[in-house]
Amino acid sequence: MEKLISSKHNIQHVPESYILPPERRPRQVALHSCTCVPVIDLYGNIDRNRQDLVQRIMEAGQEFGFFQLTNHGVPEELMKETVKVAEEFFQLPVEDMASFYSEDPRKGCRLYTSIDYDHEKVHFWRDNLRHHCHPLEDHVGEWPRNPTRYREVMGNYAVRVRELSLVLLDLICEGLGIQSGYFEGGLSKVQIMSLNYYPPCPDPALTLGLPKHADPNLITVLNQGAVPGLQVLRDEEWLALEPVPNAFVVNIGHALQVISNGMLRGAEHRVVTNADIARTTVASFIHPSNDSLIHPAALLVYRCSLPLYRAFPYDEFVRKFIKDTRDGEPPMKEYEIS
Ligand code: OGA
Ligand code: NI
């Protein structure tokens, strides 16, 4: 528990164990504030301009691996409430959070800090609460009861965001030209909600909230609140993804990159810290079930006549992914066919 970064109040200096080696520090100079990651209006287009919408999603997924989504059907009020209950959770007295703290990644609902505290060389400036969400009734009993509105708000939110994620996966199916319903069943079975808390940091030049990584799953829908911090790597340049009011940040994960046979990009991103204000974000990850075999869709391999990746069991990949992210290694190398 004492490991939680949020439990270290009024911290004046960055503790030694959080200081990144110079080559891994965020170099502020290379940063471009980005208005170029596309902002896509979902329900303004889904009926009338469906083809155009699909094309924009595919282009964004190919070029950036990221887009922002407005007019997505999840009520503004629910998005705000969700970030608010997340903030409230991380502000609870440490005793109230204690029962959730665990270093065991197999635990269904757990609070921890950084990525893999006991095994990593340097720590990252974030605390994280994550839990399964789908089906709701199987998991809600493990979630925090405090804040008292947590289960109600997070439950509503999880259901709405899962629905939205499945709508996006359907559109992506159309864009890839593979059979509709491809992602139904095992490939989209698991939903994990991940609440990040990045407290103010006395020297943001020395730390990161999260290191460079791409997400391992199919698709991520992130509610990043109003405080900036997320950056996306494109052409070796870090682009700041500025918050757009009431928009979700959507990104492609490694599993979807592989299934799309490289047509969509699981783009690398990271989180920088800031000195002034805490940042709380809520990410919903749609994952394949552990026993899924991930491989390029047969039709896409047939069309371009070669697979870019070999098949792998999803659970094996996720284990490797956590270790590689912690150590700064690229996790996909061993699955690429060159
Ligand atoms: C993540 C992530 C971004 C953010 O949780 O994988 O990239 O802005 N989060 O919190
Ligand atoms: Ni991520």
Side-chain angles (χ1 to χ4, degrees):
M1 272 311 285
E2 64 289 346
K3 290 175 186 166
L4 286 180
I5 190 81
S6 53
S7 69
K8 301 182 184 20
H9 292 292
N10 294 322
I11 219 167
Q12 302 294 322
H13 300 284
V14 176
E16 193 83 30
S17 61
Y18 287 80
I19 300 179
L20 289 158
E23 69 282 3
R24 291 185 78 190
R25 290 180 197 166
R27 285 171 302 128
Q28 308 293 357
V29 281
L31 183 66
H32 285 244
S33 188
C34 184
T35 46
C36 47
V37 172
V39 178
I40 300 178
D41 172 330
L42 180 60
Y43 282 103
N45 292 297
I46 202 160
D47 295 323
R48 277 179 299 122
N49 305 313
R50 193 173 175 97
Q51 286 213 328
D52 193 45
L53 171 67
V54 168
Q55 196 182 339
R56 291 200 63 201
I57 291 175
M58 293 304 289
E59 279 169 9
Q62 280 158 14
E63 196 178 342
F64 297 94
F66 269 83
F67 53 92
Q68 303 216 51
L69 195 69
T70 57
N71 199 5
H72 42 61
V74 180
E76 181 182 329
E77 196 52 35
L78 184 55
M79 288 184 77
K80 295 221 164 74
E81 283 288 284
T82 302
V83 172
K84 198 151 159 247
V85 288
E87 267 163 15
E88 285 168 15
F89 175 82
F90 289 107
Q91 278 155 14
L92 291 174
V94 207
E95 314 79 84
D96 292 344
M97 292 195 272
S99 63
F100 294 100
Y101 193 87
S102 171
E103 304 280 348
D104 181 358
R106 285 164 307 184
K107 209 167 163 245
C109 177
R110 74 171 183 126
L111 172 68
Y112 64 102
T113 189
S114 189
I115 295 176
D116 189 358
Y117 197 92
D118 288 341
H119 301 106
E120 64 203 6
K121 291 193 198 85
V122 190
H123 306 311
F124 297 95
W125 202 264
R126 72 127 185 206
D127 293 334
N128 183 263
L129 175 74
R130 68 176 53 204
H131 50 63
H132 284 257
C133 299
H134 181 75
L136 195 56
E137 58 279 12
D138 288 1
H139 302 289
V140 68
E142 296 179 325
W143 299 2
R145 282 185 192 284
N146 201 359
T148 45
R149 291 176 314 123
Y150 187 92
R151 290 183 177 187
E152 185 196 336
V153 172
M154 203 54 78
N156 286 337
Y157 181 77
V159 169
R160 299 299 295 262
V161 172
R162 182 176 169 85
E163 281 166 10
L164 172 63
S165 307
L166 298 183
V167 168
L168 291 172
L169 287 172
D170 274 349
L171 293 165
I172 287 172
C173 247
E174 286 181 41
L176 291 171
I178 57 181
Q179 87 234 36
S180 77
Y182 191 92
F183 298 106
E184 278 167 21
L187 286 178
S188 59
K189 193 166 177 195
V190 175
Q191 181 185 17
I192 292 176
M193 203 60 81
S194 167
L195 285 59
N196 295 300
Y197 181 72
Y198 309 96
C201 172
D203 192 345
L206 302 179
T207 59
L208 282 172
L210 277 177
K212 178 170 93 172
H213 70 284
D215 298 345
N217 51 307
L218 273 189
I219 194 163
T220 304
V221 175
L222 173 78
N223 181 348
Q224 73 160 330
V227 183
L230 178 59
Q231 299 181 349
V232 182
L233 190 63
R234 192 185 64 153
D235 298 337
E236 298 183 17
E237 202 168 63
W238 286 103
L239 310 171
L241 228 149
E242 296 296 334
V244 170
N246 309 317
F248 282 114
V249 175
V250 179
N251 67 284
I252 308 298
H254 282 307
L256 187 48
Q257 175 176 330
V258 170
I259 293 169
S260 75
N261 203 28
M263 277 176 76
L264 298 169
R265 210 154 77 85
E268 288 171 314
H269 51 284
R270 69 180 184 185
V271 176
V272 295
T273 59
N274 79 75
D276 307 313
I277 178 164
R279 178 167 185 266
T280 306
T281 67
V282 181
S284 162
F285 298 108
I286 299 293
H287 283 271
S289 58
N290 273 336
D291 59 358
S292 301
L293 190 68
I294 307 302
H295 57 83
L299 199 60
L300 298 179
V301 175
Y302 173 74
R303 259 192 232 132
C304 72
S305 73
L306 94 164
L308 295 183
Y309 307 94
R310 68 175 178 82
F312 53 84
Y314 190 65
D315 57 348
E316 169 202 301
F317 169 67
V318 169
R319 275 197 301 276
K320 190 170 133 37
F321 169 84
I322 295 170
K323 189 171 155 299
D324 288 344
T325 301
R326 177 190 80 196
D327 298 341
E329 302 289 338
M332 289 302 293
K333 271 251 145 35
E334 123 174 25
Y335 303 111
E336 286 165 7
I337 297 173
S338 46

